């Protein structure tokens, strides 16, 4: 091991491979994000100490062009906190160390350092995404819209668009929330104190006070057709929304176009994105409300064609909108040949002193589970750092030593996620969980009550057209069941095509911190090691040469190269 680190350290001083494109101090990134600590202020003077991006939350909108390499420089301007940035929904078939997950693909960005992320969306990636930190509870405020433009004309025509990012507001700080979730005894974060739209909103405390406060407002031009990009960047809340006097036409889900689907309401949870079009009227209200958690938060927003009109609420305008309780899972894809079916059973467990963790198949996985990220270790130690496939087959698909799930390139996995009754306090309680895959979009093959039945679900799949998603909900159909009893399921099919290390996890930040995550390794070491060790060396240690600071510039090898015609993958 010492020899490996000595060899790596000799490679950290300069670009060494003349045949590769490498950048240093002269390089100019396409986008710059700077994360700092500051006071976040929302309507009516409510403030909270928060992590901010370029001084705001949400952060600035980033737009990318398909087929074009973009470099996004992320500065960690915080004196004591680590940081990463994840490009939610963009599969890391892209640059190997640019996914932004600190416990799988990269070492986090140390305090007062910066990192250059290489992002290269393809033509089929056009759509609505967002970026966010993947460290602790930072993503509650460290997030922002990420849009991949269409190549040519989109399948649905519109004149203009509006991006609407939903976020939660908590009075507790990020560090206090994270510390409480990991504490012994456990301390819950509390429920959301407000759902904000693009950082605007009215907290429950202000609503209860009876004070008037400006509503989130979106200005429109008469006679125009708009595309509305809704981004679910909440930490906890599943939000149901309805627009006064309007049906909603859904044209995309999780950055994939769908057949136009008309509905009278939309339900959006953390990690999900939906695109709507065709809202036409003079002025109208939108009501939005959290679901399946007590207490219910209710908020309002205004879409207006006359910018002179002003609206405020105490606590809400007098409009009547009834929000449904459940959203249909939509159209499911037809079945593909499955090589392996894996069942992940999630449940919380508590200790006699009150310590609570989430476990999947009796294993918990957090950003603290391993002292080193998986991908750098595969580069340093080769096949010995890859989970044992044979051992995993004997243990429900997971190598218990690595706490990771291996898969071979070419497999088609059917992944079943089971919701079981909680064993904490012996109450059999149930929760809802939005599950997100970093390994790319998957075929969502439905959800249901009780235990998954493959034969019955195959009948349900007959005749459906494929729908690709990256975040879908594991629902609950009752408040509680027997301890450890299967209560509901969600099922996916994933084609294993891109070698690397990935996360599949619940996107509720509290649950992630408490262990509701799984690490996956696709392919063997040779397939994963896509770039030479010399060029990967700056990524393999904490604060390595790929991470710059005020004293020195990073040395970054380009995974993609520009040619006169098109980028190419080495």
């Amino acid at each position: 091991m010492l020899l490996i680190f000595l060899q790596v350290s000799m490679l950290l001083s300069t670009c060494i491979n003349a045949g590769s494109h490498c950048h240093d101090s002269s390089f100019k990134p396409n986008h710059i994000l700077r994360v700092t600590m500051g006071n976040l202020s929302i309507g009516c003077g409510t403030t909270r100490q928060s992590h901010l991006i370029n001084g705001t939350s949400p952060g600035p909108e980033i737009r990318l062009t398909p087929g074009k390499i973009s470099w996004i420089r992320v500065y960690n301007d915080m004196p004591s906190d680590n940081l990463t940035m994840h490009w939610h929904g963009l599969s890391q078939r892209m640059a190997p160390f640019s996914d932004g997950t600190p416990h799988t693909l990269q070492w986090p960005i140390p305090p007062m350092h910066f990192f250059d992320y290489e992002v290269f969306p393809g033509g089929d990636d056009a759509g609505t995404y967002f970026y966010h930190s993947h460290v602790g509870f930072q993503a509650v405020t460290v997030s922002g819209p990420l849009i991949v433009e269409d190549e040519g004309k989109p399948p649905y025509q519109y004149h203009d668009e509006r991006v609407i990012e939903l976020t939660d507001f908590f009075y507790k700080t990020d560090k206090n929330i994270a510390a409480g979730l990991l504490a012994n005894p456990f301390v819950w974060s509390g429920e959301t104190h407000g759902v904000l739209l693009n950082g605007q909103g009215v907290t429950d405390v202000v609503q209860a006070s009876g004070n008037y406060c400006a509503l989130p407002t979106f200005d429109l031009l008469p006679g125009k057709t708009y595309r509305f990009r809704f981004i679910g960047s909440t930490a906890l809340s599943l939000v149901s929304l309805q627009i006064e006097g309007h049906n909603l036409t859904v044209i995309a889900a999780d950055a994939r176009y769908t057949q136009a689907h008309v509905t009278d309401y939309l339900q959006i949870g953390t990690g999900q994105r939906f695109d709507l079009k065709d809202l036409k009227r003079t002025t109208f209200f939108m009501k939005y409300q959290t679901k399946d958690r007590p207490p219910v938060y209710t908020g309002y927003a205004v879409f207006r064609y006359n910018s002179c009109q002003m609206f405020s609420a105490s606590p809400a305008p007098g409009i009547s909108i009834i929000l449904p309780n459940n959203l249909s899972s939509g159209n499911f894809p037809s079945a593909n040949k499955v090589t392996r079916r894996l069942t992940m059973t999630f449940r919380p467990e508590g200790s006699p002193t009150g310590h609570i963790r989430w476990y999947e198949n009796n294993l918990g996985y957090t950003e603290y589970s391993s002292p080193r990220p998986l991908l750098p270790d595969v580069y340093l130690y080769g096949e010995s750092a890859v989970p044992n496939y044979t051992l995993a087959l004997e243990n429900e698909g997971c190598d218990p030593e690595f706490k990771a799930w291996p898969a071979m390139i070419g497999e088609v996995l059917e992944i079943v996620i089971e919701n079981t009754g909680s064993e904490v306090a012996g109450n059999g309680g149930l929760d809802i969980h939005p599950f997100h895959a970093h390994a790319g979009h998957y075929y969502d093959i439905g959800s249901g009550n009780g235990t998954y039945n493959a034969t019955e679900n195959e009948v349900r799949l007959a005749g459906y057209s494929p729908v690709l998603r990256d975040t879908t909900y594991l629902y609950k159909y009752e408040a509680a069941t027997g301890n450890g009893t299967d209560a509901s399921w969600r099922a996916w099919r994933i084609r294993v095509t891109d070698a690397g290390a990935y996360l599949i996890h619940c996107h509720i930040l509290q649950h992630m911190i408490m262990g509701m995550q799984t690490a996956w390794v696709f392919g063997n070491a040779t397939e994963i090691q896509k770039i030479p060790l010399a060029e990967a060396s700056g990524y393999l240690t904490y604060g390595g040469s790929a991470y710059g600071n005020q004293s020195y510039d990073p040395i970054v090898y380009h995974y993609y190269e520009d040619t006169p015609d098109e980028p190419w993958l080495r």
Side-chain angles (χ1 to χ4, degrees):
M1 183 183 300
L2 177 61
L3 177 60
I4 290 174
F5 278 107
L6 288 174
Q7 290 174 336
V8 170
S9 65
M10 294 171 62
L11 306 175
L12 300 184
S13 58
T14 185
C15 299
I16 64 170
N17 189 341
S20 299
H21 188 180
C22 170
H23 76 247
D24 45 29
S25 59
S26 62
F27 182 74
K28 303 296 182 186
N30 302 95
H31 305 276
I32 292 176
L33 303 175
R34 304 196 77 118
V35 177
T36 59
M37 289 295 297
N39 287 325
L40 174 66
S41 298
I42 67 168
C44 297
T46 304
T47 60
R48 174 188 188 269
Q49 186 187 41
S50 303
H51 299 84
L52 305 175
I53 307 177
N54 296 5
T56 66
S57 179
E61 179 181 302
I62 292 178
R63 289 192 172 250
L64 305 178
T65 302
K68 179 182 177 182
I69 304 161
S70 290
W71 287 89
I72 306 173
R73 177 165 292 179
V74 177
Y75 286 88
N76 181 0
D77 291 336
M78 298 178 290
S80 59
D81 295 341
N82 286 328
L83 173 72
T84 65
M85 203 65 75
H86 171 57
W87 319 102
H88 183 104
L90 285 177
S91 168
Q92 279 317 113
R93 62 179 181 278
M94 304 183 193
F97 296 97
S98 287
D99 184 61
T101 44
H103 36 307
T104 49
L105 270 94
Q106 74 165 119
W107 287 98
I109 308 169
M112 309 311 293
H113 284 68
F114 64 88
F115 185 83
D116 290 342
Y117 288 93
E118 186 178 12
V119 183
F120 181 27
D124 61 348
D125 288 321
T128 304
Y129 303 84
F130 67 110
Y131 59 87
H132 62 81
S133 171
H134 227 290
V135 172
F137 204 71
Q138 293 176 2
V140 70
T141 53
V142 179
S143 68
L146 179 68
I147 310 299
V148 178
E149 304 280 11
D150 286 277
E151 286 187 314
K153 286 186 176 181
Y156 298 96
Q157 301 302 303
Y158 52 91
H159 298 103
D160 202 353
E161 60 183 62
R162 296 289 184 268
V163 178
I164 303 173
E165 182 173 350
L166 289 77
T167 55
D168 277 321
F169 183 86
F170 293 87
Y171 284 102
K172 290 183 180 179
T173 66
D174 300 345
K175 287 186 176 180
N176 285 342
I177 289 175
L181 297 171
L182 297 174
N184 192 355
F186 168 80
V187 180
W188 176 236
S189 64
E191 302 299 315
T192 186
H193 292 286
V195 176
L196 312 181
L197 307 185
N198 294 352
Q200 297 178 302
V202 185
T203 67
D204 56 358
V205 173
V206 172
Q207 288 178 342
S209 72
N211 294 329
Y212 282 84
C213 189
L215 296 176
T217 301
F218 301 91
D219 290 322
L220 310 172
L221 294 175
K224 302 292 186 182
T225 298
Y226 285 86
R227 175 179 185 168
F228 293 86
R229 300 178 183 264
F230 282 87
I231 298 173
S233 186
T234 52
L236 175 65
S237 296
L238 171 64
V239 179
S240 190
L241 60 90
Q242 192 172 33
I243 298 178
E244 181 188 24
H246 279 76
N247 283 329
L248 309 175
T249 303
V250 179
I251 60 172
D254 293 350
R256 291 298 184 268
Y257 285 111
T258 67
Q259 293 183 353
H261 176 71
V262 179
T263 178
D264 59 357
Y265 74 107
L266 178 69
Q267 189 164 284
I268 181 169
T270 171
Q272 296 182 313
R273 291 91 60 216
F274 292 97
D275 293 22
L276 315 177
K277 70 182 290 285
D278 286 339
L279 298 179
K280 297 177 180 178
R281 194 177 162 182
T282 54
T283 297
F284 43 92
F285 286 98
M286 179 176 76
K287 179 179 181 180
Y288 52 101
Q289 195 172 76
T290 58
K291 310 297 291 184
D292 290 314
R293 297 202 67 87
V296 172
Y297 170 85
T298 302
Y300 297 85
V302 177
F303 295 86
R304 64 182 182 183
Y305 286 97
N306 181 354
S307 60
C308 295
Q309 294 172 290
M310 300 299 294
F311 297 90
S312 61
S314 174
I319 61 174
S320 178
I321 297 176
I322 299 174
L323 297 176
N325 287 318
N326 296 301
L327 179 63
S328 169
S329 299
N331 295 325
F332 306 129
S334 59
N336 292 295
K337 185 178 180 181
V338 174
T339 58
R340 218 168 19 123
R341 180 177 298 115
L342 300 168
T343 299
M344 297 191 298
T345 301
F346 286 87
R347 70 178 189 279
E349 291 185 2
S351 70
T353 56
H355 190 250
I356 300 176
R357 288 287 184 276
W358 279 97
Y359 289 89
E360 52 282 344
N361 295 22
N362 299 314
L363 295 171
Y365 191 82
T366 74
E367 60 186 278
Y368 311 107
S369 292
S370 173
R372 302 179 51 82
L374 287 170
L375 184 61
D377 271 8
V378 173
Y379 274 88
L380 286 172
Y381 308 118
E383 201 62 39
S384 64
V386 176
N388 187 296
Y389 185 86
T390 302
L391 181 61
L393 292 180
E394 299 170 356
N395 289 274
E396 301 178 311
C398 181
D399 180 338
E401 179 181 348
F402 282 86
K403 295 186 178 181
W405 304 65
M408 294 187 294
I409 300 301
E411 287 194 90
V412 178
L413 304 179
E414 184 164 289
I415 298 176
V416 180
I417 309 171
E418 289 279 0
N419 203 355
T420 63
S422 170
E423 298 181 10
V424 176
N427 62 8
L430 295 168
D431 208 339
I432 56 174
H433 305 284
F435 271 89
H436 171 57
H438 287 218
H441 284 69
Y442 50 75
Y443 295 102
D444 188 299
I445 61 171
S447 62
N449 203 354
T451 302
Y452 178 70
N453 184 307
T455 302
E456 291 180 0
N457 200 53
E458 197 69 19
V459 175
R460 295 174 59 197
L461 295 175
Y464 283 101
S465 300
V467 173
L468 287 166
R469 301 292 301 274
D470 62 52
T471 310
T472 50
Y473 261 86
L474 176 61
Y475 293 112
K476 66 177 182 179
Y477 296 86
E478 52 190 340
T481 186
N483 292 351
T485 302
D486 290 345
S488 59
W489 56 269
R490 186 105 220 169
W492 306 341
R493 289 197 175 118
I494 294 180
R495 297 182 183 277
V496 180
T497 57
D498 301 305
Y502 305 93
L503 278 186
I504 294 177
H505 62 89
C506 175
H507 211 272
I508 290 175
L509 301 187
Q510 290 89 333
H511 294 172
M512 289 174 58
I513 291 172
M514 296 167 64
M516 204 169 192
Q517 307 185 73
T518 57
W520 295 71
V521 177
F522 289 178
N524 58 38
T526 301
E527 293 166 328
I528 292 170
Q529 294 168 341
K530 300 176 184 177
I531 55 180
L533 176 62
E535 297 181 15
S537 61
Y539 301 92
L540 305 184
T541 57
Y542 181 68
S545 65
Y547 299 78
N549 66 16
Q550 191 174 10
S551 302
Y552 57 84
D553 295 295
I555 299 169
V556 180
Y557 286 92
H558 293 204
Y559 184 63
Y560 297 94
E561 296 289 349
D562 289 313
T563 70
D565 298 318
E566 61 183 357
W568 55 274
L569 173 60
R570 289 191 280 119

